[in-house]
Every structure is written in C-alpha cells, then in structure tokens.
Amino acid sequence: MKLTLSDHLFVLTGAGVSAESGLATFRGDGGLWRNYRAEEVANIAAWRRDPRLVWEFYSMRRRKALAAKPNPAHVALAEIEQQLGDRFFLCTQNVDSLHEQAGSERVHHIHGELMKTKCDSCAREPFPDESTYDEGTALPKCDCGGTLRVNVVWFGEMVSGMERVAYELQRSTAFVAIGTSGVVEPVASFVRALPHRNTLYIGPEKPANADAFSEYMLGPAAEMVPWLAQTFFTAKDDGS
Ligand SMILES: [Zn+2]
C-alpha cells in the first residue's frame, strides 16, 4: 500500500471498527436481542407488523451508541483526513456517529444514521434525534400522519447515495477497507470497481473477498489504523 499526500484515499469502514468501541454488531451468532436476530427486526416487513418492537430495538441501540466512545482507529482516520482534505472520502456501513465524534467531516453513511429520524410516509428530510421510544410510550408521528422511523437502511432497502460513492471510487488512487466482512453488497464489490490496485484490507480476520485486495493486514483496527496513519505521516516527512 502506497499512500502519499497527493493520493485520493477512499476508506470503507464496517462493524469491526465500532465493535472495538463496544458496539456489538447484532449479526450472526451471539447477536440476539430478545431472541430475535437483527435481520428479523431490521426490515420493512417487521416495521409494518410491529413498529413498536422495531423502535424498542433501535431505542436500545441508541442508548448503547450514546454511551460509546471513538477508539484509536476513528481518531487516526480523522487525522489522515486533516492532511488530505477533499482528497479523503470515508464511506461507513456503521450507523453510529463515532467517526464524527472523532473529528471526521467527510463521512458518508451508506446504511443510514441511527441518530436521525425520518417519516415512513412522506419525503421530509431526516432530522437529528436521540429520543428513545420504549414500551408504554406512544409511537412518534409526523405532521403528515405517517409514523416516524429511524433513519437506517433496513434489509431489502436501497443503500444511500450510491452516485456519490461511485464517483469517489472512480477518482480514488488508494482504497482501504477496515473491519468489514466482505459479504454485504454492494460494499463488498467496491474493491473490484476501482481504476487501480492500490488496495489494503485491515481487520481481525480475512474478509470473504480477501482475494480482491493487493494487501491485507490482520489485527485489531484500533492498533492497525494508527500504524497506517503513522506510516503515512512518515512518508510525508520524507517528502515522498
Ligand atoms: Zn411525514
């Protein structure tokens, strides 16, 4: 992986980055909530059937996210962004706001944002909202009569802002994926849509699409990403 100040760097982050801040992924084995798998609660059919249950799930996730703090991986990415400015683009699958809390400004939440709410009926702009709606509280309503829902992309829904993402992939000269399993589409295919092969994967284990990367570094993101930032800043000092 070659990374210099003149690079356009595209960074993709996944659940592995938030997990090190104590936010569980609610996916796979051990990801159960009240005997439901996340996939059973995080979809439009569940919302239509039982919106209260879905809000209880996201209320729990909002409380956990509010208590979480950015880890050294988030901080190191914010530091790299400070150096690269508009040549840096961060696409995250995470719905928490830990990247923003660490100081990142160019963050695209392809799976939406936990701390925003939108209407399930009208096209009003999603708005910041840390409220929780638990058992016994009324479901929040929009002025249009629709029910307000969390602004995350549910299973079966379209991801957000693919045009911008495609543009940033095309103009990138370096690509780093961190803590993402390489299974969920469309993000798993980003590494194959690049005009270059300057690619690096960082995470605790090999992703399903490991063969598409020119390099990978296995280990915790909270240790590896600061190392990457340090390498980058050293290269800068050398004038390379
Ligand atoms: Zn509405």
Side-chain angles (χ1 to χ4, degrees), residues 129-144:
D129 184 18
E130 295 179 355
S131 312
T132 53
Y133 304 97
D134 292 296
E135 226 176 329
T137 60
L139 284 172
K141 289 288 178 185
C142 178
D143 294 340
C144 79

Side-chain angles (χ1 to χ4, degrees), residues 108-112 153 157-162 184-187 190:
H108 178 75
H109 287 270
I110 194 165
H111 291 162
V153 176
E157 291 186 313
M158 294 277 286
V159 298
S160 140
M162 264 313 287
V184 179
E185 293 295 352
V187 294
F190 287 179

